[in-house]
Amino acid sequence: MNLNAGWLFCKGVDNSGQQPDAKASWKSVRLPHTWNASDVMDDEPGYYRGDGWYKRSFTVDASMRQKKIYLYYEGANQVSTVWINGKLAGNHTGGYTGFYVPLNEWLRYDAPNEIVVSVNNSYQEDIAPLTADFTFYGGIYRDVWLVTTDAVHFTISEHGAKGLFITTPQVNAEQARVLVHGSVNNETIQVRSLRVITRLRDQQGKLMQELVAPVSIPAQSAAEFTQQSQPITKPHLWSPEHPYLYTAETDIIDATTGRLLDRQTNKVGFRWFHFDADKGFFLNGQPYKLVGSSRHQDYQGLGNAVPNALARKDVQWLKEMGGNFLRIAHYPQDPVILEACDELGILTSVEIPVVNEITESEAFTQNCLRMQQEMIRQNFNHPSIIIWCYMNEVLLRPHFNNDKPRQEIYFARVAELARQLDSTTRHEDPTRYTMLVNHGDFNRYKAVGLTAIPQLVGWNLYSGWYGGNLSDFPAFLDRHHKELPDKPLLVTEYGADADPRIRSMQPVKFDKSVEYTTAFHQYYLSAMMERPFVAGAMLWNLADFNSEGREETMPHINNKGLLMWNRTPKDPYYFYQASLRKEPVLKILGAYWKQRGGMADSNAPVCTQPVQVASNLAAAELFLNGKSLGKQSVKAALASWSVPFVQGANKLTVQGISGGRTITDQLTIDFQLQPDRLQRTDIPFRQVNLLLGANRYYIDSARQLWIPDQPYRSGSWGHVGGKVFKIPGNNRLPYGTDKNIVGTDNDPIYQTQHTGLTQYRFDVPAGQYELTLHFAELLGGTVKGIPYNLSSEGRKEDEVLRSFDVLANGQVLLNGFDIGRQYGVARAVAKRFTVTVSGQQGLVLDFKPVTGEPVLNAIQLKKQ
């Protein structure tokens, strides 16, 4: 019985570990629930990590006295303690696997029973994960169940498993066998004679075989059993293209009375697979390139408390993209995810959250080993799983950097933990592969020995993003193949941030534009597809996700997703559809960029800008407002046209031919044409929003478009003097800062600026205008490092002395303006004025330094 409804919750009760008293403020909640759904997105650093308390009442009928009754939690992060009627009933450590709590000892029948649960998500040095580039939400964030069984039942173990494990020890195209191994508990005071019957049915429900095992169990004990089927001839094989599932229904029957005592139903998929260091991955005897993504479990507005329907939809998004693999990272996820992977045909790996670093304690080791066992035993019966993983980038945050001998000891202990986890995994499940995932420090992982321990080596590679160049990526792949010739290789992460609000005509590394990310994925996918030894390509990530400590253009969000946090697709998603799907794909990119703008071409009432189309057709033809712009060949899933946009509505139509059938897609773009000369009569000036110090476009929260600034040109507009702001010594950002700008949701408006400018000019006609100047002091204070790349130790910036005057056509707008002193560092400041332009003078803004250099981040001018 589902117990998601009817809970009360309170947070932050400091009662020395005791239950909250009568003064506590309880509120009604429904599970799944997290107390961090909102505070991870505010401008205040950090989020609540501590105790949360839940309570609920329920009644058990007296007829259930002879039953065994449990609570089952699918997941609560990260340390949980459960009381029933004031008595300690159970606890669990680890936030990503399920656990049972037996209740019989403390239950009252035909009377209310009270459950009280404390959950704590605070940092604890003996519990993984210690640090990571994702948010450690607190709460009972998955479903909770009341589970009732007969006194004779399949064993419910302390590892959260249900006592039944199914393998397929023989599978080929001609025949297959099923092996059922399980355990039965007899919690009565009598010896029980039982029959365990497994009925194997095909996908249409037809009975294929019936397996029977007699079991005799002494009182208050357990017994194991094994059943093996006869060969099933010409089995339907499971694959992503044909995810055919058989059903194994296993019953415990009382041999004396014939009464059904317990039943479990599991899906069975017949498939066989292997990895080869030279030739990659093979499924059902055929070479098979694994291409897919990783997934985090949170969702906009919900945190990690995501209902099953939305979680399952994520797997459907991946399937519709054409993917065949899901790296379930960096922790086991809701049971519905693997169920969906089985049914939809998505191969998977699953891992425990040993991320970035370890603690050298026995308690940490034992917690990790137990997490690994729980993960494997709870998810064992899913045919979609082919890999168990146990570490991710564990050398990213090395300890003892200033004490090399001590660091060597630390590295040795990391390797020893890896060996124990790998050995445990192979013992628990020898039918699947083990994998350890590394970041791009090839020399260190090889020296520490971590490339030698697992059966598979995964690499998280970001050349051309966090550092290096795109060309470093294929060079790394080739190096692995040369120096680790016996280790199959999977690229377990690769990607680049795509802030869906940022676009660029000239994309560059780390500008956060969708265009750079699309080009990045095109390059990476091509390099992997043309190398047979690369067994798998797992892009990072399926969807944007919360990482509270991140700042950058969209604070608290990792923007590498192919889908936005609310699961709206971005351009790279359609690139992958065109690259991977067999069905015809034809999609105009830029659907989120429906409000475009730009400066008119000289002497023409149009603005020519590029438009990309993703397709798996050989060629396509693009039309603008019904007029053909010509045909283009599709190369590596993309084609591009130069489109002469006009003011107002621009209807784009693309069409191509597939199998004699015409395929089309349409997109209407509202274009705001800016006059190249502000006194043009055919294109009257209305309004312009300009970003200084940035060569990118931005769509703000009001759906206004901001376009790049330019040097002043006579008859037009632009800055005079100065230079683009760039953080001193930071070679990663092409311009601007990565700080969170407080007081705005439109951080990109304030994260770039022009410094030292002397004027800003608009050669507008006479009239009255609304002028808004946008400022933020970008230098000063400490920027916290985030554990997601090698150069993430943070930085301390010197404060600057800066004050200046701003005049409009000689009239003072700002006098002695000191952004840092008056407003603080990294805080959005907007100053709005009404200005009058007379005659032919235009609008001339003078920036006059008092101390230091004047700055301007963005500017808006609107004709009234």
Side-chain angles (χ1 to χ4, degrees), residues 594-839:
K594 293 178 181 177
Q595 290 80 30
R596 286 201 185 198
M599 185 180 294
D601 298 347
S602 180
N603 299 317
V606 301
C607 175
T608 303
Q609 292 185 354
V611 168
Q612 281 189 311
V613 169
S615 183
N616 54 9
L617 306 180
E621 185 174 9
L622 187 68
F623 298 83
L624 174 64
N625 295 327
K627 181 180 178 181
S628 175
L629 300 180
K631 290 185 178 181
Q632 296 286 351
S633 297
V634 178
K635 299 178 181 178
L638 295 175
S640 183
W641 285 261
S642 294
V643 176
F645 288 102
V646 298
Q647 174 68 31
N650 292 257
K651 184 178 180 181
L652 294 172
T653 303
V654 66
Q655 67 179 36
I657 305 298
S658 175
R661 183 165 61 97
T662 300
I663 310 297
T664 65
D665 185 44
Q666 294 183 341
L667 177 65
T668 298
I669 292 174
D670 182 19
F671 201 92
Q672 182 180 342
L673 196 61
Q674 297 292 344
D676 60 322
R677 299 182 311 280
L678 295 183
Q679 300 200 26
R680 279 180 67 165
T681 56
D682 60 333
I683 309 174
F685 174 79
R686 297 180 181 88
Q687 177 179 349
V688 67
N689 310 312
L690 300 168
L691 298 177
L692 276 74
N695 190 16
R696 63 191 183 193
Y697 295 73
Y698 175 67
I699 306 160
D700 69 19
S701 55
R703 303 298 295 175
Q704 294 185 105
L705 179 70
W706 297 70
I707 66 176
D709 171 42
Q710 64 179 10
Y712 170 70
R713 297 190 315 194
S714 179
S716 184
W717 45 264
H719 64 267
V720 178
K723 61 182 180 180
V724 170
F725 170 82
K726 192 174 185 302
I727 298 172
N730 189 317
N731 295 320
R732 177 162 56 91
L733 296 176
Y735 40 71
T737 184
D738 52 3
K739 290 178 179 176
N740 176 13
I741 306 299
V742 177
T744 182
D745 291 329
N746 292 307
D747 294 66
I749 293 174
Y750 299 93
Q751 288 175 322
T752 63
Q753 68 181 196
H754 215 75
T755 65
L757 74 170
T758 59
Q759 285 185 335
Y760 206 97
R761 303 188 63 159
F762 293 91
D763 290 347
V764 290
Q768 196 169 61
Y769 295 85
E770 180 182 276
L771 171 70
T772 307
L773 305 177
H774 296 269
F775 303 95
E777 180 54 70
L778 300 184
L779 285 175
T782 299
V783 181
K784 182 177 66 173
I786 300 174
Y788 62 80
N789 72 317
L790 290 173
S791 57
S792 60
E793 297 299 330
R795 64 182 186 272
K796 183 173 177 57
E797 296 175 351
D798 294 333
E799 294 186 9
V800 296
L801 297 176
R802 186 193 316 282
S803 64
F804 53 94
D805 302 334
V806 181
L807 295 83
N809 292 344
Q811 300 297 312
V812 175
L813 300 181
L814 297 170
N815 185 22
F817 186 50
D818 188 328
I819 312 168
R821 179 176 295 179
Q822 296 176 32
Y823 297 96
V825 174
R827 179 173 289 275
V829 181
K831 297 290 187 178
R832 183 173 299 170
F833 310 93
T834 297
V835 295
T836 301
V837 174
S838 302

